[in-house]
Short mmCIF file of all heavy atoms in Angstrom, two decimals:
data_model
loop_
_atom_site.label_atom_id
_atom_site.label_comp_id
_atom_site.label_asym_id
_atom_site.label_seq_id
_atom_site.Cartn_x
_atom_site.Cartn_y
_atom_site.Cartn_z
N LYS A 81 160.92 165.05 76.52
CA LYS A 81 161.25 163.82 77.24
C LYS A 81 162.65 163.32 76.92
O LYS A 81 163.42 162.95 77.80
CB LYS A 81 160.22 162.74 76.92
CG LYS A 81 160.42 161.47 77.70
CD LYS A 81 159.32 160.47 77.43
CE LYS A 81 159.55 159.23 78.28
NZ LYS A 81 158.49 158.26 78.13
N GLN A 82 163.00 163.32 75.64
CA GLN A 82 164.28 162.76 75.20
C GLN A 82 165.32 163.86 74.99
O GLN A 82 165.03 164.89 74.40
CB GLN A 82 164.10 162.01 73.87
CG GLN A 82 163.08 160.90 73.91
CD GLN A 82 163.51 159.76 74.83
OE1 GLN A 82 164.70 159.42 74.89
NE2 GLN A 82 162.57 159.19 75.53
N GLU A 83 166.53 163.60 75.46
CA GLU A 83 167.63 164.53 75.27
C GLU A 83 167.84 164.84 73.79
O GLU A 83 168.04 165.98 73.40
CB GLU A 83 168.89 163.90 75.87
CG GLU A 83 170.13 164.74 75.77
CD GLU A 83 171.31 164.07 76.42
OE1 GLU A 83 171.31 163.92 77.65
OE2 GLU A 83 172.25 163.68 75.68
N ARG A 84 167.80 163.82 72.96
CA ARG A 84 168.06 163.98 71.52
C ARG A 84 167.08 164.94 70.86
O ARG A 84 167.42 165.64 69.92
CB ARG A 84 168.00 162.62 70.84
CG ARG A 84 168.29 162.71 69.36
CD ARG A 84 168.74 161.45 68.72
NE ARG A 84 170.08 160.96 68.83
CZ ARG A 84 171.22 161.64 68.66
NH1 ARG A 84 171.20 162.90 68.42
NH2 ARG A 84 172.38 161.05 68.71
N ASP A 85 165.84 165.00 71.36
CA ASP A 85 164.84 165.90 70.78
C ASP A 85 165.18 167.37 70.99
O ASP A 85 164.62 168.24 70.32
CB ASP A 85 163.45 165.61 71.38
CG ASP A 85 162.91 164.26 70.95
OD1 ASP A 85 163.35 163.73 69.90
OD2 ASP A 85 162.04 163.72 71.67
N GLY A 86 166.10 167.67 71.91
CA GLY A 86 166.49 169.05 72.17
C GLY A 86 167.68 169.54 71.37
O GLY A 86 168.12 170.67 71.53
N LEU A 87 168.20 168.70 70.48
CA LEU A 87 169.38 169.06 69.69
C LEU A 87 168.98 169.72 68.37
O LEU A 87 167.93 169.42 67.82
CB LEU A 87 170.22 167.82 69.40
CG LEU A 87 170.88 167.17 70.61
CD1 LEU A 87 171.48 165.84 70.22
CD2 LEU A 87 171.92 168.09 71.21
N PRO A 88 169.85 170.59 67.85
CA PRO A 88 169.62 171.13 66.51
C PRO A 88 170.03 170.10 65.46
O PRO A 88 170.63 169.07 65.78
CB PRO A 88 170.53 172.36 66.46
CG PRO A 88 171.65 172.01 67.38
CD PRO A 88 171.05 171.15 68.46
N ARG A 89 169.73 170.39 64.19
CA ARG A 89 170.14 169.49 63.11
C ARG A 89 171.66 169.33 63.11
O ARG A 89 172.17 168.25 62.94
CB ARG A 89 169.65 170.02 61.76
CG ARG A 89 169.92 169.05 60.60
CD ARG A 89 169.36 169.55 59.30
NE ARG A 89 169.98 170.77 58.84
CZ ARG A 89 171.15 170.84 58.20
NH1 ARG A 89 171.83 169.75 57.94
NH2 ARG A 89 171.64 171.99 57.81
N ARG A 90 172.36 170.42 63.30
CA ARG A 90 173.83 170.38 63.39
C ARG A 90 174.19 170.19 64.86
O ARG A 90 174.35 171.16 65.60
CB ARG A 90 174.44 171.65 62.84
CG ARG A 90 174.21 171.79 61.37
CD ARG A 90 174.82 173.08 60.86
NE ARG A 90 174.91 172.99 59.43
CZ ARG A 90 175.91 173.47 58.72
NH1 ARG A 90 176.90 174.09 59.31
NH2 ARG A 90 175.91 173.35 57.42
N GLU A 91 174.31 168.95 65.27
CA GLU A 91 174.48 168.61 66.68
C GLU A 91 175.83 169.01 67.26
O GLU A 91 175.99 169.07 68.47
CB GLU A 91 174.32 167.09 66.86
CG GLU A 91 172.97 166.57 66.50
CD GLU A 91 172.90 165.06 66.65
OE1 GLU A 91 173.90 164.42 67.05
OE2 GLU A 91 171.83 164.52 66.35
N GLY A 92 176.82 169.27 66.42
CA GLY A 92 178.20 169.48 66.87
C GLY A 92 178.38 170.54 67.93
O GLY A 92 179.33 170.47 68.71
N GLN A 93 177.52 171.54 67.99
CA GLN A 93 177.65 172.58 68.99
C GLN A 93 177.40 172.03 70.40
O GLN A 93 177.98 172.50 71.37
CB GLN A 93 176.69 173.73 68.70
CG GLN A 93 176.80 174.88 69.68
CD GLN A 93 175.91 176.04 69.30
OE1 GLN A 93 175.17 176.00 68.33
NE2 GLN A 93 175.99 177.10 70.08
N TYR A 94 176.53 171.02 70.50
CA TYR A 94 176.13 170.50 71.80
C TYR A 94 176.49 169.05 72.05
O TYR A 94 176.26 168.53 73.13
CB TYR A 94 174.62 170.67 71.98
CG TYR A 94 174.17 172.11 71.91
CD1 TYR A 94 173.48 172.58 70.81
CD2 TYR A 94 174.47 172.99 72.95
CE1 TYR A 94 173.07 173.91 70.74
CE2 TYR A 94 174.08 174.32 72.87
CZ TYR A 94 173.38 174.77 71.78
OH TYR A 94 172.98 176.07 71.70
N MET A 95 177.05 168.37 71.07
CA MET A 95 177.40 166.95 71.22
C MET A 95 178.79 166.70 70.65
O MET A 95 179.16 167.30 69.65
CB MET A 95 176.40 166.07 70.46
CG MET A 95 175.00 166.08 71.01
SD MET A 95 174.84 165.32 72.61
CE MET A 95 174.93 163.61 72.18
N GLY A 96 179.51 165.84 71.28
CA GLY A 96 180.83 165.45 70.80
C GLY A 96 181.59 164.77 71.92
O GLY A 96 181.29 164.98 73.10
N HIS A 97 182.57 163.98 71.55
CA HIS A 97 183.29 163.23 72.59
C HIS A 97 184.08 164.13 73.53
O HIS A 97 184.40 163.73 74.64
CB HIS A 97 184.17 162.15 71.96
CG HIS A 97 185.34 162.67 71.18
ND1 HIS A 97 185.22 163.19 69.92
CD2 HIS A 97 186.65 162.77 71.54
CE1 HIS A 97 186.41 163.58 69.49
NE2 HIS A 97 187.28 163.33 70.45
N ASN A 98 184.40 165.35 73.13
CA ASN A 98 185.14 166.28 73.99
C ASN A 98 184.24 167.22 74.79
O ASN A 98 184.72 167.96 75.63
CB ASN A 98 186.10 167.13 73.17
CG ASN A 98 187.24 166.32 72.61
OD1 ASN A 98 187.60 165.30 73.15
ND2 ASN A 98 187.80 166.78 71.50
N HIS A 99 182.95 167.20 74.51
CA HIS A 99 182.03 168.13 75.18
C HIS A 99 181.87 167.76 76.65
O HIS A 99 181.96 166.59 77.02
CB HIS A 99 180.68 168.12 74.49
CG HIS A 99 180.69 168.85 73.18
ND1 HIS A 99 181.55 168.53 72.15
CD2 HIS A 99 179.95 169.88 72.73
CE1 HIS A 99 181.33 169.33 71.12
NE2 HIS A 99 180.35 170.16 71.45
N VAL A 100 181.65 168.78 77.48
CA VAL A 100 181.47 168.57 78.91
C VAL A 100 180.15 169.21 79.35
O VAL A 100 179.72 170.22 78.79
CB VAL A 100 182.63 169.14 79.75
CG1 VAL A 100 183.93 168.40 79.44
CG2 VAL A 100 182.80 170.62 79.52
N ASP A 101 179.54 168.59 80.36
CA ASP A 101 178.34 169.15 80.96
C ASP A 101 178.73 170.11 82.07
O ASP A 101 179.55 169.77 82.92
CB ASP A 101 177.46 168.04 81.54
CG ASP A 101 176.74 167.24 80.49
OD1 ASP A 101 176.83 167.59 79.30
OD2 ASP A 101 176.07 166.25 80.86
N SER A 102 178.12 171.28 82.06
CA SER A 102 178.29 172.24 83.15
C SER A 102 176.93 172.44 83.80
O SER A 102 175.97 172.82 83.12
CB SER A 102 178.80 173.58 82.61
OG SER A 102 180.07 173.41 82.02
N SER A 103 176.86 172.18 85.09
CA SER A 103 175.59 172.33 85.81
C SER A 103 175.30 173.81 86.02
O SER A 103 176.19 174.59 86.37
CB SER A 103 175.66 171.62 87.16
OG SER A 103 175.81 170.24 86.97
N VAL A 104 174.03 174.16 85.81
CA VAL A 104 173.62 175.55 85.95
C VAL A 104 172.30 175.64 86.71
O VAL A 104 171.52 174.69 86.73
CB VAL A 104 173.45 176.25 84.57
CG1 VAL A 104 174.77 176.37 83.84
CG2 VAL A 104 172.41 175.55 83.71
N LEU A 105 172.09 176.78 87.31
CA LEU A 105 170.80 177.18 87.84
C LEU A 105 170.43 178.45 87.08
O LEU A 105 171.22 179.39 87.03
CB LEU A 105 170.86 177.48 89.34
CG LEU A 105 169.62 178.23 89.88
CD1 LEU A 105 168.40 177.32 89.87
CD2 LEU A 105 169.88 178.79 91.25
N ILE A 106 169.26 178.42 86.48
CA ILE A 106 168.80 179.59 85.73
C ILE A 106 167.41 179.95 86.23
O ILE A 106 166.54 179.08 86.36
CB ILE A 106 168.78 179.31 84.21
CG1 ILE A 106 170.19 179.00 83.72
CG2 ILE A 106 168.17 180.49 83.46
CD1 ILE A 106 170.29 178.64 82.25
N VAL A 107 167.19 181.22 86.52
CA VAL A 107 165.87 181.72 86.86
C VAL A 107 165.36 182.44 85.62
O VAL A 107 165.99 183.38 85.13
CB VAL A 107 165.92 182.68 88.07
CG1 VAL A 107 164.54 183.25 88.35
CG2 VAL A 107 166.48 181.97 89.29
N ALA A 108 164.25 181.94 85.09
CA ALA A 108 163.71 182.51 83.85
C ALA A 108 162.24 182.16 83.73
O ALA A 108 161.82 181.05 84.11
CB ALA A 108 164.47 181.97 82.64
N ALA A 109 161.45 183.07 83.20
CA ALA A 109 160.05 182.84 82.86
C ALA A 109 159.25 182.31 84.05
O ALA A 109 158.32 181.53 83.88
CB ALA A 109 159.96 181.88 81.67
N GLY A 110 159.61 182.73 85.26
CA GLY A 110 158.88 182.29 86.45
C GLY A 110 159.28 180.92 86.95
O GLY A 110 158.59 180.34 87.79
N PHE A 111 160.38 180.38 86.45
CA PHE A 111 160.85 179.06 86.83
C PHE A 111 162.27 179.11 87.36
O PHE A 111 163.06 179.96 86.96
CB PHE A 111 160.85 178.10 85.63
CG PHE A 111 159.50 177.63 85.22
CD1 PHE A 111 158.76 178.35 84.29
CD2 PHE A 111 158.96 176.47 85.74
CE1 PHE A 111 157.51 177.92 83.90
CE2 PHE A 111 157.71 176.03 85.36
CZ PHE A 111 156.98 176.75 84.43
N GLU A 112 162.59 178.15 88.24
CA GLU A 112 163.96 177.84 88.60
C GLU A 112 164.31 176.59 87.80
O GLU A 112 163.67 175.55 87.96
CB GLU A 112 164.10 177.54 90.09
CG GLU A 112 163.89 178.74 90.96
CD GLU A 112 163.93 178.39 92.44
OE1 GLU A 112 164.27 177.22 92.80
OE2 GLU A 112 163.61 179.27 93.24
N ILE A 113 165.28 176.71 86.91
CA ILE A 113 165.65 175.60 86.04
C ILE A 113 167.03 175.11 86.44
O ILE A 113 167.98 175.91 86.54
CB ILE A 113 165.65 176.03 84.55
CG1 ILE A 113 164.29 176.61 84.17
CG2 ILE A 113 165.99 174.86 83.65
CD1 ILE A 113 164.31 178.06 83.88
N LYS A 114 167.13 173.81 86.68
CA LYS A 114 168.42 173.19 86.99
C LYS A 114 168.69 172.14 85.93
O LYS A 114 167.80 171.36 85.59
CB LYS A 114 168.39 172.53 88.37
CG LYS A 114 168.27 173.52 89.50
CD LYS A 114 168.27 172.83 90.83
CE LYS A 114 168.15 173.86 91.95
NZ LYS A 114 168.17 173.21 93.28
N GLY A 115 169.89 172.17 85.40
CA GLY A 115 170.25 171.21 84.38
C GLY A 115 171.69 171.42 83.95
O GLY A 115 172.46 172.09 84.64
N ALA A 116 172.02 170.85 82.81
CA ALA A 116 173.39 170.94 82.30
C ALA A 116 173.39 171.55 80.91
O ALA A 116 172.54 171.22 80.08
CB ALA A 116 174.02 169.54 82.25
N ILE A 117 174.33 172.43 80.69
CA ILE A 117 174.60 172.94 79.35
C ILE A 117 175.84 172.20 78.87
O ILE A 117 176.85 172.14 79.57
CB ILE A 117 174.81 174.46 79.33
CG1 ILE A 117 173.52 175.17 79.74
CG2 ILE A 117 175.25 174.92 77.94
CD1 ILE A 117 173.60 176.67 79.75
#
Side-chain angles (χ1 to χ4, degrees):
K81 184 175 182 177
Q82 303 294 323
E83 181 178 292
R84 182 158 281 313
D85 292 337
L87 293 171
R89 186 177 64 81
R90 294 179 164 218
E91 297 177 1
Q93 182 176 2
Y94 300 107
M95 294 292 284
H97 69 282
N98 291 335
H99 286 56
V100 295
D101 285 355
S102 298
S103 296
V104 294
L105 166 70
I106 298 177
V107 177
F111 285 90
E112 291 176 8
I113 304 112
K114 293 181 180 181
I117 295 181

